[in-house]
């Protein structure tokens, strides 16, 4: 009886140690490892400034497009309409909308270089 009690205690102790071990951090915690695990990672100031400049350039490029190209581009990308839907709205052909959007993208890429 004593042996069985001791054996059961030993098994329970090992089980408890295994449960505790699963919850103990086994890696070194540093600012870098904690930042890697963060849900919201802080951006570097250089990245924030660079992104802001790119957005500003993009807005300027879009604002310099002809009105028809700008409207079709906005409907396609932000309005999430298809070329067919835009063509039907504007009473034109699918190819005209497609060409406008492609020309707008080409102009924006040229402006951003």
């Amino acid at each position: 009886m004593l042996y069985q009690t001791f054996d059961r205690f030993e098994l329970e102790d090992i089980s408890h140690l295994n449960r505790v071990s699963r919850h103990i951090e086994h890696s070194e915690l540093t600012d870098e490892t904690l930042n890697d695990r963060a849900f919201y990672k802080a951006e570097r100031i250089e990245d924030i400034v660079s992104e802001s400049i790119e957005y500003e350039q993009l807005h300027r490029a879009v604002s310099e497009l002809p009105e028809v190209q700008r409207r079709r581009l906005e409907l396609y990308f932000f309005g999430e309409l298809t070329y067919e839907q835009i063509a039907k709205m504007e009473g034109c052909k699918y190819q005209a909308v497609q060409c406008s959007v492609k020309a707008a993208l080409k102009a924006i890429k040229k402006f951003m270089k």
Side-chain angles (χ1 to χ4, degrees), residues 24-74:
I24 294 177
E25 183 63 48
H26 293 288
S27 63
E28 184 178 343
L29 293 179
T30 62
D31 286 342
E32 185 178 338
T33 59
L34 289 173
N35 190 38
D36 287 342
R37 296 177 188 185
F39 179 71
Y40 172 76
K41 295 184 180 184
E43 292 185 62
R44 297 179 327 166
I45 190 70
E46 295 88 3
D47 295 336
I48 294 170
V49 170
S50 176
E51 190 175 280
S52 176
I53 291 170
E54 287 175 1
Y55 282 144
E56 184 179 315
Q57 287 177 332
L58 180 61
H59 284 284
R60 195 172 325 127
V62 170
S63 70
E64 291 184 12
L65 290 172
E67 193 271 326
V68 172
Q69 285 182 357
R70 183 175 55 248
R71 182 182 64 243
R72 291 176 178 173
L73 183 78
E74 289 174 354

